[in-house]
Amino acid sequence: MTTRTEDEMLALILGFARADDRIRAVLMNGSRVNPNAEKDIFRDYDIAFFVTNLVPFREEKNVVPYFGVPLLVEKVEDQVYRPGIRDGRYTYNVQFSDGNRIDMAFLHVELAETRTFDSLTRVLLDKDGLIPDLPGPSERSFFITKPTQKWYADCCDSFCFSLGSHVPKALWRRQLPVLKCHIGRLRQDLVLMLGWYIGVTKGFERSLGSEGKNLEEHLEAEDWREFERTCAGSDYDDITESLQVIHRLFVRTAQTVGNHYGYRFPIEKAESALAFLMHVSKLPRDAQSIFSGSDEEDDWRGVPGKGNMIPFFNSEESG
């Protein structure tokens, strides 16, 4: 089996559109039109067909077989588990047996009048002049966005609370699925902060890509190596060590961003969160109390008495 080339796939897509009067315009976006994207073998074809009637395109037999032998088909709007946008569109994500993948969205032509087109959009076909003139494709719609003071503060608070409340509980309980879920949220906060850090130190006119996939490209080698150390497996000691690295990397980059904009970084919260995490990580598995009242434990923050904790452990989560 031979994988069809880009020229063959585009000819197929345009042939499908030209042969059907109900299809009035065709757009392509994503990595296939991104001038900065690496041209690897797994780039998808992200295609939008603007049509006068959605109904016939909801029948898989009217769409998918034209493009080849499908290996897997996902019909997003039909899902109960994770439904897509149902109003005025229908989507097929198709992995074909030759290795190509096409994500096809069929949208009613009326949406072309109100839709905002991102900067990674190329018009492949426009039978009626539905689509406004678009500048050449670029990543400008996906550049790192500068933080407002509120956005910055919320990111810091989210990080500190997760690290100092959700994570310690799941870590002590050895609830690996829950723990990994909360670490994933920590990582979202970290990636957001790293984006701002990159913007401050190198300029905002760059894209991190989905889920921060371009981080390695934009971070200094030392920062990237530290980020790699945040990715632990299932060993709880390794996870605890990786959480310390996450904390250190977040604090350092957040302070740089805060200093640049004159935003205050809540260092007390960050230190309290890590200290509480480390305290909990050392509790025995049969512990009957988080604190025993001993002088040694009262000094857990390096400050005499637990009363000096920064009071932000106030989760409403039950359990």
Side-chain angles (χ1 to χ4, degrees):
M1 182 180 297
T2 303
T3 301
R4 290 165 292 176
T5 66
E6 182 174 84
D7 287 343
E8 290 173 316
M9 294 302 293
L10 291 178
L12 199 61
I13 291 164
L14 287 172
F16 180 72
R18 288 178 175 134
D20 194 324
D21 285 341
R22 295 168 298 191
I23 300 174
R24 306 312 301 167
V26 186
L27 306 182
M28 182 165 68
N29 55 29
S31 61
R32 286 278 171 180
V33 299
N34 186 348
N36 297 324
E38 183 178 351
K39 293 178 171 55
D40 67 25
I41 59 176
F42 284 101
R43 289 185 300 157
D44 303 336
Y45 295 87
D46 297 301
I47 305 297
F49 297 97
F50 285 86
V51 301
T52 56
N53 185 359
L54 277 175
V55 174
F57 298 104
R58 290 179 176 269
E59 292 289 333
E60 183 178 330
K61 65 182 180 180
N62 295 337
V63 177
V64 175
Y66 180 91
F67 296 95
V69 179
L71 181 66
L72 298 165
V73 179
E74 180 181 48
K75 292 179 280 190
V76 178
E77 281 73 25
D78 287 350
Q79 293 180 345
V80 174
Y81 165 62
R82 191 171 51 203
I85 302 170
R86 297 180 181 273
D87 188 22
R89 67 180 291 152
Y90 196 78
T91 308
Y92 296 92
N93 298 329
V94 189
Q95 177 69 58
F96 290 97
S97 59
D98 74 333
N100 276 300
R101 172 173 159 176
I102 309 179
D103 294 347
M104 293 177 275
F106 292 85
L107 302 96
H108 197 277
V109 291
E110 292 177 353
L111 295 180
E113 299 176 0
T114 58
R115 186 178 178 85
T116 299
F117 300 98
D118 68 51
S119 62
L120 287 178
T121 302
R122 178 190 299 166
V123 179
L124 300 183
L125 180 67
D126 189 355
K127 298 176 181 178
D128 308 310
L130 285 172
I131 311 302
D133 290 336
L134 301 175
S138 75
E139 294 182 315
R140 61 187 173 276
S141 294
F142 305 92
F143 285 161
I144 302 165
T145 303
K146 296 179 181 179
T148 64
Q149 187 168 4
K150 174 65 172 171
W151 195 7
Y152 173 83
D154 287 351
C155 179
C156 293
D157 283 348
S158 172
F159 180 87
C160 291
F161 194 88
S162 291
L163 186 73
S165 184
H166 295 309
V167 168
K169 177 165 61 176
L171 180 66
W172 183 80
R173 287 175 171 175
R174 295 298 193 260
Q175 296 173 333
L176 189 62
V178 179
L179 179 58
K180 286 292 188 177
C181 177
H182 288 304
I183 290 174
R185 293 169 184 166
L186 274 181
R187 193 174 303 283
Q188 290 176 342
D189 294 334
L190 176 60
V191 169
L192 178 60
M193 189 60 69
L194 287 173
W196 292 334
Y197 173 74
I198 290 167
V200 164
T201 57
K202 294 187 174 182
F204 284 87
E205 293 188 355
R206 59 191 73 228
S207 170
L208 293 189
S210 175
E211 308 297 334
K213 66 182 180 181
N214 299 332
L215 268 176
E216 184 176 7
E217 174 186 344
H218 298 301
L219 285 173
E220 296 295 335
E222 181 179 351
D223 293 330
W224 174 251
R225 285 194 296 271
E226 192 162 19
F227 182 83
E228 288 180 316
R229 293 180 60 201
T230 71
C231 301
S234 58
D235 180 86
Y236 288 101
D237 288 338
D238 290 345
I239 291 172
T240 302
E241 183 178 345
S242 76
L243 288 166
Q244 295 175 75
V245 178
I246 288 175
H247 172 271
R248 181 168 65 246
L249 185 56
F250 185 90
V251 169
R252 178 167 58 81
T253 55
Q255 287 178 322
T256 298
V257 174
N259 289 339
H260 179 82
Y261 287 106
Y263 301 159
R264 183 184 179 276
F265 177 71
I267 187 62
E268 300 90 350
K269 284 185 179 181
E271 290 179 345
S272 290
L274 180 64
F276 186 70
L277 168 67
M278 296 310 298
H279 171 79
V280 171
S281 74
K282 295 178 176 64
L283 287 175
R285 297 290 299 122
D286 60 352
Q288 298 300 303
S289 175
I290 296 174
F291 292 102
S292 68
S294 69
D295 291 340
E296 180 181 352
E297 286 198 345
D298 278 350
D299 197 31
W300 70 279
R301 268 195 75 220
V303 179
K306 292 190 295 294
N308 289 320
M309 282 176 53
I310 302 302
F312 78 106
F313 301 104
N314 58 351
S315 174
E316 296 180 358
E317 180 188 30
S318 62

